[in-house]
Short mmCIF file of all heavy atoms in Angstrom, two decimals:
data_model
loop_
_atom_site.label_atom_id
_atom_site.label_comp_id
_atom_site.label_asym_id
_atom_site.label_seq_id
_atom_site.Cartn_x
_atom_site.Cartn_y
_atom_site.Cartn_z
N THR A 14 -10.48 8.67 13.11
CA THR A 14 -10.67 7.22 13.19
C THR A 14 -9.65 6.44 12.36
O THR A 14 -9.77 5.23 12.21
CB THR A 14 -12.08 6.84 12.69
OG1 THR A 14 -12.20 7.23 11.31
CG2 THR A 14 -13.16 7.52 13.51
N TYR A 82 3.28 -7.18 16.07
CA TYR A 82 3.45 -8.44 16.81
C TYR A 82 3.74 -9.55 15.81
O TYR A 82 3.43 -9.46 14.62
CB TYR A 82 2.21 -8.76 17.65
CG TYR A 82 1.08 -9.48 16.93
CD1 TYR A 82 0.99 -10.87 16.98
CD2 TYR A 82 0.12 -8.78 16.21
CE1 TYR A 82 -0.04 -11.54 16.32
CE2 TYR A 82 -0.91 -9.43 15.56
CZ TYR A 82 -0.99 -10.82 15.61
OH TYR A 82 -2.01 -11.48 14.96
N ALA A 86 5.88 -20.64 15.41
CA ALA A 86 5.14 -21.47 14.47
C ALA A 86 3.85 -22.03 15.06
O ALA A 86 2.83 -22.14 14.38
CB ALA A 86 6.02 -22.61 13.97
N PRO A 157 29.00 3.31 9.02
CA PRO A 157 27.99 4.29 9.47
C PRO A 157 26.71 4.25 8.67
O PRO A 157 25.66 4.71 9.15
CB PRO A 157 28.71 5.63 9.31
CG PRO A 157 29.79 5.37 8.29
CD PRO A 157 30.22 3.97 8.50
N ARG A 176 10.72 -6.52 5.39
CA ARG A 176 11.55 -7.19 6.40
C ARG A 176 12.90 -7.56 5.80
O ARG A 176 13.06 -7.61 4.57
CB ARG A 176 10.86 -8.41 6.97
CG ARG A 176 10.52 -9.47 5.94
CD ARG A 176 9.72 -10.62 6.53
NE ARG A 176 10.44 -11.31 7.59
CZ ARG A 176 10.03 -12.46 8.13
NH1 ARG A 176 8.91 -13.02 7.72
NH2 ARG A 176 10.73 -13.04 9.08
N ALA A 181 15.46 -19.82 10.35
CA ALA A 181 15.44 -21.21 9.92
C ALA A 181 14.36 -21.95 10.69
O ALA A 181 14.03 -21.58 11.83
CB ALA A 181 16.80 -21.87 10.16
N ALA A 206 9.57 26.30 8.77
CA ALA A 206 8.83 27.00 9.82
C ALA A 206 9.62 27.05 11.13
O ALA A 206 9.28 27.82 12.03
CB ALA A 206 7.48 26.32 10.06
N PRO A 262 16.81 -22.29 2.67
CA PRO A 262 16.66 -20.87 2.34
C PRO A 262 16.43 -20.68 0.84
O PRO A 262 16.82 -21.51 0.02
CB PRO A 262 17.99 -20.25 2.77
CG PRO A 262 18.75 -21.33 3.49
CD PRO A 262 18.19 -22.64 3.04
N ARG A 269 18.28 -4.58 -12.63
CA ARG A 269 18.01 -3.14 -12.50
C ARG A 269 16.90 -2.70 -13.44
O ARG A 269 16.06 -1.87 -13.09
CB ARG A 269 19.30 -2.34 -12.76
CG ARG A 269 19.15 -0.82 -12.75
CD ARG A 269 19.08 -0.25 -11.36
NE ARG A 269 18.84 1.20 -11.35
CZ ARG A 269 19.67 2.10 -10.82
NH1 ARG A 269 20.82 1.73 -10.27
NH2 ARG A 269 19.36 3.38 -10.83
N GLN A 271 14.45 -4.48 -14.31
CA GLN A 271 13.26 -5.18 -13.83
C GLN A 271 12.64 -6.11 -14.86
O GLN A 271 11.52 -6.58 -14.68
CB GLN A 271 12.22 -4.18 -13.29
CG GLN A 271 12.76 -3.33 -12.15
CD GLN A 271 11.76 -2.39 -11.56
OE1 GLN A 271 10.64 -2.80 -11.22
NE2 GLN A 271 12.13 -1.13 -11.41
N ASP A 280 22.12 -23.03 -0.56
CA ASP A 280 22.69 -24.12 0.23
C ASP A 280 22.97 -23.59 1.63
O ASP A 280 23.79 -22.70 1.82
CB ASP A 280 23.98 -24.62 -0.42
CG ASP A 280 24.50 -25.90 0.21
OD1 ASP A 280 24.50 -25.98 1.46
OD2 ASP A 280 24.90 -26.81 -0.53
N LEU A 346 -1.74 -15.61 -0.33
CA LEU A 346 -1.91 -15.31 1.10
C LEU A 346 -1.22 -16.32 2.00
O LEU A 346 -0.92 -16.01 3.15
CB LEU A 346 -3.40 -15.26 1.44
CG LEU A 346 -4.21 -14.22 0.67
CD1 LEU A 346 -5.70 -14.42 0.92
CD2 LEU A 346 -3.80 -12.81 1.07
N ALA A 400 -18.06 -5.17 1.27
CA ALA A 400 -19.18 -5.34 0.34
C ALA A 400 -19.56 -4.00 -0.29
O ALA A 400 -19.28 -2.93 0.28
CB ALA A 400 -20.38 -5.94 1.07
N VAL A 410 -15.07 -16.10 11.06
CA VAL A 410 -14.22 -17.28 11.17
C VAL A 410 -15.03 -18.48 10.73
O VAL A 410 -16.06 -18.82 11.34
CB VAL A 410 -13.72 -17.46 12.62
CG1 VAL A 410 -12.87 -18.72 12.73
CG2 VAL A 410 -12.92 -16.24 13.06
N ARG A 434 -23.46 6.28 -8.51
CA ARG A 434 -23.87 5.47 -9.66
C ARG A 434 -22.62 4.81 -10.20
O ARG A 434 -21.62 5.47 -10.47
CB ARG A 434 -24.51 6.35 -10.74
CG ARG A 434 -25.75 7.08 -10.28
CD ARG A 434 -26.34 7.91 -11.41
NE ARG A 434 -27.48 8.71 -10.96
CZ ARG A 434 -28.18 9.52 -11.75
NH1 ARG A 434 -27.86 9.64 -13.03
NH2 ARG A 434 -29.19 10.21 -11.27
N GLU A 477 -15.43 -2.99 -5.76
CA GLU A 477 -16.76 -3.46 -5.38
C GLU A 477 -16.93 -3.42 -3.86
O GLU A 477 -17.28 -4.41 -3.23
CB GLU A 477 -16.99 -4.87 -5.92
CG GLU A 477 -18.45 -5.19 -6.20
CD GLU A 477 -18.60 -6.42 -7.07
OE1 GLU A 477 -17.69 -7.28 -7.05
OE2 GLU A 477 -19.62 -6.53 -7.77
N GLU A 512 -1.94 -2.93 -17.38
CA GLU A 512 -0.95 -2.30 -16.52
C GLU A 512 0.22 -1.77 -17.34
O GLU A 512 0.75 -0.69 -17.06
CB GLU A 512 -0.45 -3.30 -15.48
CG GLU A 512 -1.53 -3.77 -14.51
CD GLU A 512 -1.08 -4.94 -13.65
OE1 GLU A 512 0.10 -5.34 -13.76
OE2 GLU A 512 -1.90 -5.45 -12.88
N GLY A 536 -22.00 13.74 -21.53
CA GLY A 536 -23.03 13.54 -22.55
C GLY A 536 -24.22 12.74 -22.05
O GLY A 536 -25.34 12.92 -22.53
N ARG A 565 -5.22 19.62 -21.41
CA ARG A 565 -6.61 19.60 -21.85
C ARG A 565 -7.41 20.72 -21.20
O ARG A 565 -8.41 20.49 -20.52
CB ARG A 565 -7.25 18.24 -21.53
CG ARG A 565 -6.68 17.06 -22.29
CD ARG A 565 -6.84 17.20 -23.81
NE ARG A 565 -8.19 17.48 -24.22
CZ ARG A 565 -9.10 16.55 -24.54
NH1 ARG A 565 -8.76 15.27 -24.46
NH2 ARG A 565 -10.29 16.89 -24.93
N PRO A 596 17.02 6.73 -16.71
CA PRO A 596 16.99 8.04 -17.38
C PRO A 596 18.13 8.25 -18.37
O PRO A 596 17.99 9.05 -19.31
CB PRO A 596 17.05 9.05 -16.22
CG PRO A 596 17.51 8.27 -15.04
CD PRO A 596 17.06 6.87 -15.25
N ARG A 617 -5.15 27.74 -16.96
CA ARG A 617 -6.26 27.53 -16.04
C ARG A 617 -5.80 27.71 -14.59
O ARG A 617 -4.61 27.56 -14.28
CB ARG A 617 -6.84 26.12 -16.21
CG ARG A 617 -7.47 25.86 -17.57
CD ARG A 617 -8.69 26.73 -17.79
NE ARG A 617 -9.47 26.31 -18.95
CZ ARG A 617 -10.55 26.93 -19.39
NH1 ARG A 617 -10.97 28.03 -18.76
NH2 ARG A 617 -11.20 26.50 -20.45
N ALA A 626 7.80 18.38 4.85
CA ALA A 626 8.56 17.29 5.46
C ALA A 626 8.31 15.97 4.73
O ALA A 626 8.57 14.89 5.29
CB ALA A 626 8.19 17.15 6.93
#
Side-chain angles (χ1 to χ4, degrees):
T14 62
Y82 85 94
R176 60 185 299 189
R269 176 78 184 241
Q271 301 183 49
D280 190 315
L346 300 171
V410 178
R434 299 181 184 180
E477 208 164 26
E512 296 170 4
R565 294 299 308 269
R617 295 295 192 183

